[in-house]
Every structure is written in structure tokens, then in C-alpha cells.
Amino acid sequence: MVQQLHASLDLFKAKLSRYIAAWVFTSIVGIELVILIPSYYRQEQEQLSKLERISYEVFSPTLVETAQLSKTPAGLLRTVRQNLKPGSVIRGGALYTINGSLLETFGEPPQLTPKSWAGNGMVQARRYQGDRYDVVWSPAVLNGQYILVVRHDATSVQQELNGFIQRIAVLVLIIAVFVTLATMLTLGFTVINPILRLRDDLLAAGEAITKDLSDPKFAAMAVQRQDELGEVTAAFHDLFRRVRQEICDRRQAEANLRAEQEKADRLLLNILPAEIAEKLKQDQTAIADRFEEVTILFADIVSFTELSTKISPIELVSCLNEIFSAFDQLAEQHDLEKIKTIGDAYMVVGGLPTPRPDHAEAIAQMALDMQREITKFQTCIGTNFQLRIGIHTGTVVAGVIGLKKFSYDLWGDAVNLASRMESHGIVGAIQVSDTTYDRLKHKFLLEKRGLISVKGRGEVLTYLLKS
């Protein structure tokens, strides 16, 4: 009951309900007025007819006979006055000849004259104020001898008409209010309230979609309708489900796209340094930077080429993958940049793409850790692998060139000398140039090897990193 009351109050608050109520009320009042205006005039005619009947009673056949016997106007009017009852509505009259000449009057003179009359019967006229009513009696009524104009008091007629108007107005108001309320309630529970529920469902659906909430409980779907509103509600619910599914599919697609993007980014970061990868995303032109001082390490697995003739390619690649994966972990641990692998050679650099002051120390520690790590791996004949490592510090240009199969590489004399430090090194030892020695001698234990002949460089002083 309380819910129905609240629903009714909400119904009257709705703009559409107010529009419908105003339209229905106005329409009913207009229709009633169109119908009842003729009734007003009929009522007026009925009241005036009562006055005419009173006049007719005055001029009964007895009065006509009296007029025929007296043959004089005075006698006729005397007879009329004698037949008037006390409080009669007849206020006066005037007697005219058949030619329209005034013979005699009594009481209040009428406004009508024989000139207003033409033909047989009666001519009726009311004063503007509506309190007097004049009737012309034709010669036919008075035996063809006279014309009599009688004035009546029409005040009661006006009062009756005013009462009639009041009763009709009240009746029209009651009918209009009743029909409007009935229409409001009928339309309210069949049309307006379902529309309001559908509006609330639309708001709830929008809230659920924008804020990613669970599906709301739609009030409009609680009532099964087999009409147009039911079709609209079903269409809305179907649209919501489609939008919801589309959003879910789109989010899933975006999640998959982000996952693939992350995979692509991880793959790119496995190939290129993060800074270089970001630059490459923004501009695919050649990227090259000069670094005044970096430390480069080359490492070569001794006798690995001979080992390749003794095991299958799959076993060879698997073994090489295990060793280089361990080196990759060390490079990440020391925050160094792996450049590439060339066959069984491994190249790593410190001090780029982000410069750091301790690049030589980091590379030295990396080399010592690589020597310890390689002892964990054994050849097919049960012996441990050994490394030949060379290190040099100098100036390089680093970057990415070309359009396909990007790789981050180094160029410059320092790269060549670092490669010579490895190729002219000692198995199981770490050979460094004198430039690198100057940066490590205060923190690491190094042993002077002496001068070695390097192609293109002549005699070069080298050292061996011990610990």
C-alpha cells in the first residue's frame, strides 16, 4: 500500500504526467462547454416559455370573449388587470390597433412596438440587462382586433440561469477532475510508471557500464508486458547485454593487445637497451651516440669449435645456450649491457647506453664471475670448459643502423683492441690493456704480463686480472 502511494506521488511529479493531466482536463472542459452551451440556451427558452404560458393564461378564451363583448380598449385592459394575480410577473402592457396605433397602456410600458412584429405568432425580446421580457400577442389571438405587447419580470429567469450555470460548472469540474484522475491513474500504471522504471534502468545501466559494476537488477524487466512498451524494454535489455558484451570483448582484446605489446617490448629489450628501444619506437632512423670512455669485454670458450665435431648440433646449441644464459644473468646482475654473441664468443660492455663511472670495475667483476661460472659446465669427455677473456677501455660509437633485424653494436678502435686482448690472451686468464689497468690497479689484484705484439698496433703492454 505504501509503495503504491509512493508510486502515485511519483506519478504526479512526472512532467509527462502533468502534461497529460493538463491536456485531458482542458480537453474535457472544452468538450463539456461545447455540449452544454446549447443546453444553456434551451434552459433559457424553457424559462421564457413559462413566462409566455403566464401571458397565455391571462389571455385565455374568457378574456378573448370579454374583449369581443366590450369592444373597447379600456374594457379589455380592465379585464386584463382584473385577471392579474398578486405578485404576477406581468409588469405592464400596451394595446395597439391593428394598424399599430397606441390605444392605451398599463403598468410598465414595454420596449417592443408593433413595428417589431411581422406576421402571425409572437415576437420575443429581452432587455440587455436580462431582467425584463416582452411578448407581442398578434391580432389572431385577440380576434383580429388588437395587438397587445406584454412586459414580464424576467429576474427569476436570470437567477435560474445563473444557478444552472453554477450547477453545470460544478458538474463539468467534477467530471473533468474524475476523468483526469482516472486517465492519470490508468496511464500512470500502464505507461508512465513503466517509462519511469525504464528511465531508472537506463541510469543504472549507464552507471554500471561507466564504473564497471556488476549487472544491475532492472525493475522494468520484473513485469512481463506483451505490448509496445514490453518490446521497448526487451530491446533495451538486449542492447545493454550487447554493449556489455562488446565492452568485455574490447577489454579482453585490449588486455591481449597489452600482453602482446609487453611481449614485443620484452623481446625488443632483449635485443636493444631500454633507452635505445624507446628512441627506436619514436624514430626509426639511424641511432648512434659517442661514448668517451667505456670498458669492453670479449670472452671466448676454449676448444668449443673442436667440441662441435664430437656432439650433435642440438646438443651443441643447448650447451652453448646454458653457458650464455648464465653469462646473461651475470650481466644483468652487474648492470652491464650485453652486445652480442658471435659463435662461441661473448661480448659485453660497461658504461653505455647510460654512462657510469665504475664501468671498468663492473666489467672486471663480471670477468671474475664468468670464470667461476664456467667451471660449473663440463665437456662431453668430463672436463671443465675454460674461457679466454680480454678487456680494454676506450672511446666507442654505439647505436643501431639499418632497416631490418636491428641490433645494438659498437664501433671504434677500442672494440678492435678489446677483441685483440681476448684473441692474444691466455687460456683460463683475463687479459686487460694498460688503459684498463690504470682504472683497476687500486681495487683489484693484477699481474703484469708484459708487451705483446698486436696486429696493426705493434707492441702493447698488457696485464692479467687475478682477483
Side-chain angles (χ1 to χ4, degrees):
M1 185 65 181
V2 176
Q3 293 180 350
Q4 293 179 350
L5 181 60
H6 284 299
S8 300
L9 293 176
D10 292 338
L11 176 63
F12 284 97
K13 293 179 182 178
K15 291 183 179 179
L16 183 59
S17 299
R18 294 198 294 268
Y19 293 154
I20 292 175
W23 180 81
V24 171
F25 185 84
T26 304
S27 299
I28 293 174
V29 171
I31 293 172
E32 292 291 338
L33 288 177
V34 170
I35 295 174
L36 294 175
I37 285 175
S39 300
Y40 171 83
Y41 288 108
R42 286 195 300 270
Q43 182 70 15
E44 182 184 48
Q45 291 300 321
E46 290 178 2
Q47 296 298 323
L48 295 177
S49 296
K50 292 180 180 179
L51 297 181
E52 294 171 9
R53 286 195 292 272
I54 294 173
S55 295
Y56 187 76
E57 290 174 359
V58 173
F59 301 103
S60 61
T62 304
L63 178 59
V64 174
E65 291 176 2
T66 303
Q68 290 175 353
L69 293 174
S70 64
K71 301 296 185 181
T72 62
L76 180 59
L77 293 181
R78 185 171 52 253
T79 305
V80 170
R81 287 193 293 268
Q82 291 174 355
N83 281 274
L84 291 178
K85 297 178 180 180
S88 174
V89 295
I90 297 177
R91 294 300 183 185
L95 189 65
Y96 295 86
T97 64
I98 194 66
N99 296 324
S101 300
L102 178 63
L103 296 176
E104 191 173 350
T105 63
F106 72 95
E108 185 180 334
Q111 289 184 340
L112 286 179
T113 65
K115 294 179 180 179
S116 305
W117 174 82
N120 297 323
M122 290 184 295
V123 176
Q124 304 170 3
R126 297 179 64 194
R127 288 180 61 182
Y128 177 77
Q129 291 82 359
D131 58 351
R132 292 295 183 264
Y133 178 60
D134 296 342
V135 177
V136 177
W137 292 97
S138 66
V141 179
L142 298 176
N143 204 23
Q145 298 181 24
Y146 304 101
I147 299 174
L148 180 62
V149 182
V150 181
R151 165 149 285 204
H152 304 81
D153 184 358
T155 304
S156 61
V157 174
Q158 190 62 45
Q159 293 175 350
E160 183 64 29
L161 290 176
N162 292 338
F164 177 77
I165 292 174
Q166 293 176 358
R167 293 191 298 272
I168 293 301
V170 173
L171 181 62
V172 168
L173 182 62
I174 292 174
I175 293 175
V177 170
F178 175 77
V179 174
T180 301
L181 290 176
T183 304
M184 280 283 294
L185 293 175
T186 303
L187 288 178
F189 290 104
T190 58
V191 178
I192 306 299
N193 280 341
I195 291 177
L196 295 178
R197 288 196 296 268
L198 186 58
R199 178 202 61 186
D200 295 338
D201 290 347
L202 285 169
L203 295 175
E207 188 80 5
I209 290 175
T210 55
K211 296 185 178 180
D212 194 22
L213 304 176
S214 58
D215 290 354
K217 184 177 181 181
F218 294 122
M221 295 299 297
V223 180
Q224 299 295 327
R225 300 175 62 100
Q226 303 300 325
D227 53 10
E228 288 76 8
L229 273 176
E231 295 175 1
V232 171
T233 303
F236 155 71
H237 190 257
D238 182 64
L239 177 63
F240 174 77
R241 287 190 294 101
R242 291 185 181 183
V243 171
R244 194 69 147 175
Q245 186 62 42
E246 185 68 23
I247 292 175
C248 291
D249 294 343
R250 185 171 182 177
R251 287 177 177 170
Q252 184 62 42
E254 291 176 351
N256 294 338
L257 182 61
R258 285 194 297 271
E260 293 300 324
Q261 184 66 39
E262 290 173 359
K263 289 181 181 178
D265 289 343
R266 286 196 299 270
L267 181 61
L268 189 60
L269 292 177
N270 284 334
I271 300 173
L272 303 173
E275 296 178 10
I276 304 303
E278 192 62 32
K279 290 181 180 180
L280 192 61
K281 289 179 183 180
Q282 299 174 4
D283 186 6
Q284 292 192 2
T285 58
I287 298 174
D289 298 298
R290 178 183 176 87
F291 296 89
E292 293 299 331
E293 188 175 278
V294 298
T295 301
I296 308 162
L297 178 151
F298 278 93
D300 184 68
I301 302 176
V302 180
S303 302
F304 197 83
T305 303
E306 298 176 3
L307 180 64
S308 64
T309 61
K310 301 178 181 179
I311 61 176
S312 66
I314 294 178
E315 292 176 330
L316 178 70
V317 172
S318 176
C319 180
L320 196 61
N321 179 63
E322 290 182 8
I323 295 174
F324 284 170
S325 295
F327 291 169
D328 288 344
Q329 292 177 356
L330 291 176
E332 184 175 358
Q333 176 183 337
H334 293 290
D335 197 17
L336 300 173
E337 192 65 40
K338 172 189 174 182
I339 301 301
K340 59 185 174 181
T341 59
I342 308 170
D344 57 357
Y346 189 90
M347 179 182 180
V348 64
V349 62
L352 60 76
T354 302
R356 53 184 295 186
D358 62 340
H359 51 84
E361 292 87 342
I363 285 292
Q365 192 62 55
M366 170 79 178
L368 295 172
D369 290 343
M370 290 174 70
Q371 280 189 329
R372 283 193 294 270
E373 193 68 28
I374 197 65
T375 59
K376 299 178 182 179
F377 299 92
Q378 292 185 341
T379 65
C380 60
I381 59 176
T383 60
N384 291 332
F385 285 106
Q386 288 185 306
L387 291 177
R388 187 170 56 244
I389 299 176
I391 301 174
H392 174 64
T393 301
T395 301
V396 298
V397 174
V400 178
I401 59 175
L403 298 176
K404 295 181 179 180
K405 296 183 179 179
F406 299 117
S407 64
Y408 189 65
D409 209 346
L410 308 181
W411 299 273
D413 184 64
V415 179
N416 296 329
L417 188 54
S419 178
R420 296 293 186 271
M421 289 295 103
E422 177 271 317
S423 61
H424 292 69
I426 302 173
V427 175
I430 303 171
Q431 181 169 254
V432 303
S433 67
D434 58 345
T435 307
T436 305
Y437 168 78
D438 290 339
R439 287 156 181 77
L440 299 179
K441 61 184 180 181
H442 299 297
K443 295 183 180 180
F444 289 82
L445 178 63
L446 294 103
E447 179 182 300
K448 185 176 181 181
R449 182 186 180 189
L451 296 173
I452 62 172
S453 178
V454 177
K455 183 178 179 181
R457 295 294 297 268
E459 298 293 326
V460 175
L461 180 62
T462 63
Y463 295 84
L464 299 178
L465 176 64
K466 294 297 183 177
S467 63

